Amino acid sequence: MMKRAQSDTLGFAPQKDIVYNKLLPYADRLDDESNDLLSKIKGNLCRAVQLREIWPGVLFWTRKLSTYMRLYGRKFSKEDHVLFIKLLYELVTIPKLEISMMQGLARLLINLLKKKELLSREDLELSWRPLYELHDRILFSKTEHLGLNWFPNSVESVLKTLVKSCRPYFSESATQEMLDEWRPLLCPFDVTMQRAISYFELFLTTNLPPELHDKGFKLWFDELITLWLSVQNLPSWEMHLVNLFARLANDNIGYIDWDPYIPKIFTRILRSLNLPVGTSQMMVPRYVTNAYDISHVVLWVSSLLGGPSKQAQAQLSGLFNSITSFFHPSNHGRWLMKLMKLLQRLPFSVVRRLHRERYRKPTWLPPIPDSHKLTEEDITAFVESMMQPVLLAMFSKTGSLDAAQALQNLALMRPELVIPPVLEKTYPAMETLTEPHQLTATLSCMIGVARSLVSGGQRFPEGPTHMLPLLMRALPGVDPNDFSKCMITFQFIATFVTLVPLVDCSSALHERTDLTEVEREMCSASAEFEDFVLQFMDRCFALIDSSTLEQTREETETEKMTHLESLVELGLSSTFSTILTQCSLDIFKVALEKVFNFATTNIFETRVSGRMVADMCRAASKCHPAESLKVFVPHCCNIINQLAVNEEVLNEEELDKEFLWNLQLLSEVTRVDGDKVLPYRSDLVQILQLTLHLKCKQGYTLACNLLHHILRSSALIYPTEYCSVPGGFHQPISDYLPIKDWGRPGDLWNLDIRWHVPSLEETSFAFYLLDLILQPELQRLQRFAQGTQDMSRDDVLQSLTIIQHCLLGAGSLMPPLKGEPIPELFLHRFLAAANVLILSANTNQYFCLDIFQIISDLMHFKGSHKPEFDSRWKSFNLVKKSMENRLHGRKQHIRALLIDRVMLQHELRKLTVEGCQYRSIHQELMKDLLRLSTSTYSQVRSKAQSVLYTALGTYNFCCRDLIPHVLEFLNPENGSVTQQQFKGALYCLLGNHSGVCLANLHDWDCIAVTWPAIVRSGLSSAMSLEKPSIVRLFDDLADKIHRQYETIGVDFSIPGECCAVANQLMITGNPVPKEPVPSEEEAADGLKRQESKNFESVDIFNSRPWKFEHIAIGFLSLLLRDDHQLPPPAVTFFVKSLNHDSLYVRKVAISAVAGIMKQIKKPHKKVPELSGLVAGDRLDNQWLQYNGKTLPRTQQEWDSCVFVEKTHWGYYCWPRKLMMYAPMMEQPKQNLTREEMTEREQIIFDHFSDPVFINQFIEFLSLEDRKGKDKFSPRRFCLFKGLFRNFGDAFLPVLRPHMERLVADTHESKQRCVAEIISGLIRGCKHWSYSKVESLWELLCPLLRTALSNITIETYADWGTCIATACVSFLVVYFHHVFILSLIKHYITGHLADAFIQSDLHYALNGLAQQEWRVPELLHRLLQYLEPKLTQVYKNVRERIGSVLTYIFMIDVNLPYTQPTTSPRISEFTERILLQLKPLTEVDEEIQNHVLEENEVGEQDERTQAIKLLKTVLKWLIASAGRSFSTAVPEHLRLLPLLFKIAPVENDDSYDELKRDAKTCLSLMSQGLLYTEQIPLVLIALQEIAGSSSWHARYTVLTYLQIMVFYNLFTFMSAQKAVNDVRALVIRLLEDEQLEVREMAATTLSGFLQCNFLSMDVPMQTHFEALCKTRLPKKRKRELGATVDTIPSADLVRRHAGVLGLSACILSSPYDVPIWMPQLLMDLSAHLNDTQPIEMTVKKTLSNFRRTHHDNWQQHKQHFTDDQLLVLTDLLVSPCYYA
């Protein structure tokens, strides 16, 4: 109905407008208003686009559009909606658009696309490629690092959100196109893998309708999921895959069969929680950094639930069972945050899914098939599986909030399962006095479930009966001594009371007969409400008494309220007003009387307790104004009048306390409905006239408050009641039973809000007051300003205060400021007076502070303040969240909340509708503010500046107006500037942290004047570098400009498509009168002119102090851009600065020149090559691989050689069009002569071919900057690369002598310098001719040789970086020289003593690593070379060889669709190694680490060789755990027995490299991910080792097993045989002859039981009991001196095994008592007096049991019979316990 009526008035059917607007008192005016605004926006926006005017036109009107959406929602027709989106989409993707504009437009576009149910795929289709290009251009910018582009920080998240919003609308062919685009990037050895997968995650559409699935996820699902399953070591891109699958699962519930993958999914989720397991676990750092994002995991899990197979729920229960004990509050660690997040998000996610299945209006998104919807059993199973961890988490150390949110959502689904256990914990917590944490935790959880509890419903009808007992017991929480307890109690009471009308219904028991049992109980309980209210008030009074000023402060302290007190005050007043709002009239009258008596029989001080009491009184008068005012106003007026009969009172400095208190009380109770105050107006006016001119400051401030409140209540629009049921509870019980309304949500359509709209009488009263009070004040000030009247300081201050309060009260009545003078208003008078005040030299700074307040209110105040509004909006959202019902949705909030939201909507309108036009009067105000901002008092300056910043933020375009005035103060010619003014002006430019920064506006005109002025100010007379504050200011300014500067657009053209869309927009809907006038303005030339002007102005001033040279060059470097070259003078300036004296200037110059090189680079031509899908080594990518036989030898071959430099191409598949560099002939000419160069090139050429310049330059480059901190500098590398790329080998002759000199020098800085030059050279020679490259290498080879022979520890890293940088994505062919060179070095490595020679290897390697999979031939050569050297002595060489091996075998992976590579294989290598390790594997004795003398002559025996070999192999295994993609399980298993032998059991600190490495290695291997088919292999190996003779090995098997099983839990549990094998293994080791092994086996068993891997079944229990009964041989009396420690008999071992088994079972449930526990404890106690070690075990077990069950012993006691308890208490406290 409403919709139809509305579309008639509007002329269209709105998409989705904001419902709250219809509830405003002036709702009927809104349609016309919005229509008017919308037609303006459409017209002007389209005109701006057609005129091609992006700035300011398009920007201004898009901003208007987003305000329109904030005020009216999406109140436009569907056609308009689509067109707006298309227009903005075209605008956002304009290629040259300035980034900050792009961001603004993108945010609006995101907002338009937000509600995706409004537009289906039929209505809208967007193309994905422009977005991808935008994304690529910004996030993987080629020029940002060279300083040619400056992007804002938030740009990444905005772009991602934008893609997410557009994703549902990509065309159906998009998926295939994306796969073609990004598949070529899938090379797991390259960084591009990460990029490709993250693009897949971001762009792939997952919500296509079912009939299009073949064009959607089916194209990639199998491929990507097999990829995911085949990766074992969590590379950084795995996260993105998981996020993609989670989204896919959520969008297509029921269309994908996940069952085969479920155990694997859950195993990986469990692994990614990174929980600590076992004793000696080493964390792999990348597991922590690359762990999955919990919010996606939760989405995935909640989408898997349900369906016919129910498998996911079983696994989920398993997951929670296995991790429950981690939630116990005694456990704490880094992993806790993740677990809590999981707990909090999962119920929320399931509730969201239920809402989608059952309650949401059907939309165009594909529905969930009935077979996969969640059934009632599914929900119950889910809630049950979560309850235990949630109840444990209630008391966790991180606070109970997560648990409370989880409970809130669980209770929506199954209140009968959730609420009773929480209540069980709450009641005892309320009784206890000693554990406040328990109370706060349970109360915050109760608040979460409040709505489900109170509304009862069919599922939990007895819920409401708990309400009163809970409220009564919560009262003692109002405790002045414990702040947090007090606050949570207030929150608790307020929450419950908002849901329930406090009405005494007990009379209904006699009158009505139709009540159920529960309802009767509620009625009789409701008689206690009155009692509750009165007791609550008593508690509050006690609280207030204990917080009076005299009690809480010493004499000397401040009189303001402390932060805590103000929070308590807030809690108290809001809770009390909630209670009174919900009361019936009878209870209210009693409460009112009580408050009145308390307030009038005592006298309070006005700062702390007075404020609290006054607040309570205000609450009373707000609820029922007529009754309350009748009591309060006459009383207060009488007392004040009596006290003021005496004339002197009015002139006292310190007023009587009673007088002040009554005035305060009066000023608070009048904050009520305006029309209720009118009857008392004569009394109030009399009081005002009496008190406004008191001498005492406290007195007249209170009077001003009274004035402010009276004016406000008669001038504003606001709702007058917030009761939870419309119309209140005042009908007789027989017609209306309030208990039916417990927990009832407000009904949005019948809210029935009572508004207060100012009547004529009220406004005339307000104007009468203003005439009476405001006019005389203004006249006094004016006379004072003209000098005709004298006023003391205090008088002026008083006048200003009165004026300010009038403004605050009646702000909404004043017309907005106009340009012309406004006669009836006081503004001009005030301004004239203020000006004189400001200028009169004797003014004290305090006036100024008041004056600012007034100016700022004049400019911004419309009846409410922005910050105040923002904080209310925030708190509204918090309350909404804590009480919302996500299951049913549809805005089912409580009535009070809905009313609040309508009120906020009203205020939002007031704050935004008022157009912020910039008028002449504003200009005046701004100038005054500026004058104040540069005054002499620092306090005045800072205050004025902050007002100025707000004003600048409010009015568009006023900054341009102001800048010249500010710069006037910085001008060196201006001699009259004082230092204070100088500082003030700088501050004005700097701006505050959030607002506008004048020095950095997005506007060329402004920058063109500001930056030179800042630099020039260095010559000003007021500028002194002695003052640290000024120096700091300049630093901040420069820093802020650098931080905030974003490249400003130069090219403001708009492509044609936009105009087409704009035309369409103008035609549809309401036509726009103005004719479009298309014409194009060229802005770019002007900009170039400005840039060159900038540089000229910079060149003139060369005599500045050093500080300003820094600032100048910094600013200039910001002006580099990638679409316009710098003017020649600037190029000269930068090149000259390369040899500047100051280090800072040199650094900036280096990066700037590198950028200039990029600007003048000539593009090289590329030609396409044309190219099925199988990855790895194939015939068609053979030609990419290195082949020693076909290396080019001549210019001819060199030209015909085809190079693809991107290393990832050709591995997985070819791109559609493979771009290659065209042959030499077609490329731009190289080695130009000087005449052929452009002007810019000539400048650079001249400088760099000048030997003097080069000398100086190299000299500077080879200086040390900070000793020991310097590293290889990529900026310098870019500079050299650019030089050699753009100018060929022109500079080689000049540089060569320097290079030769530097290479020979062993100093760190010299070596670094030459390394930078060489890497630049190698990368720069990419397009040189063959002859040049040949000659280059002839020069380089000897250089590198020398360099590598002079290498030192310090320069080691620099050379590494040098070679790696040089090889990045460069075809190896170029490099054959280097590789062969380093392999020739073979012979030098003969004498192993010199470890540094080995470092060559490292370089060759760094080069190889960069070449990835393309060099199999070289890898084989390298491996052959390394194998004999594996038995190295030096540790650092061993580590390097280890990492080399990792690189060599990295390519040997088994990914899907991948053929085996021709690179070296791990399996063959392992075979060869095992042969050499034979001497170690065959012997059974323990292996010692032989460290031999370094230069021992002669052959060492095989055994020592083998040990050395083993050390290197360990290094390789450790290195590969972190780097490779998949673990070679079968190969590792062959090495396992050896490792078990070595790994130490006890944690000895003696450093033994071999043992420590073995241990690390085992720990890392045990955490590896196993596939189902690998499990039997591992178990066989472990069983074999468990039979070995060394008990160390047997012991270590157990620790290995613990970690391995937990980290592969679900994979194990899905194979029953594996579970049985593990169980048999553990039970077998329980009977080991070695005591330590037995104990470890018991620990392992209890761990497995605790994480529910094994269960305690009857056969196991009987097995242990049987073992326990093994008879022991009689003790023989030992002769003295006989050896005590004989080997234990087999019987003793078996008996001990039985006892250990029982103890493992007992320790496996540390936090509860299962049914079998008591019996086992009894069995155990029988063995208390057995021989050692049994006795020890029993004692340990009992003491542990006591320790873990002590906290909740009261509950645990219930599980034992009396006899058992007797025995237990006897055991636990008997003397033997202390034995």
Side-chain angles (χ1 to χ4, degrees), residues 468 471-472 475-476 478 493 497 502 504 526-544 572 575-576 579-580 583-598 616:
L468 258 161
L471 280 179
M472 293 307 266
L475 285 174
V478 183
I493 293 179
V497 172
L502 303 182
D504 177 358
S526 66
E528 284 185 51
F529 277 138
E530 183 172 340
D531 211 19
F532 164 72
V533 175
L534 297 179
Q535 283 192 31
F536 176 75
M537 288 170 71
D538 284 333
R539 284 268 164 195
C540 292
F541 294 158
L543 179 72
I544 290 172
L572 172 73
T575 309
F576 188 58
I579 289 180
L580 292 183
C583 277
S584 61
L585 204 54
D586 309 335
I587 299 183
F588 175 79
K589 283 178 178 152
V590 185
L592 175 67
E593 188 183 353
K594 187 161 182 163
V595 165
F596 178 70
N597 289 337
F598 181 66
M616 289 179 78

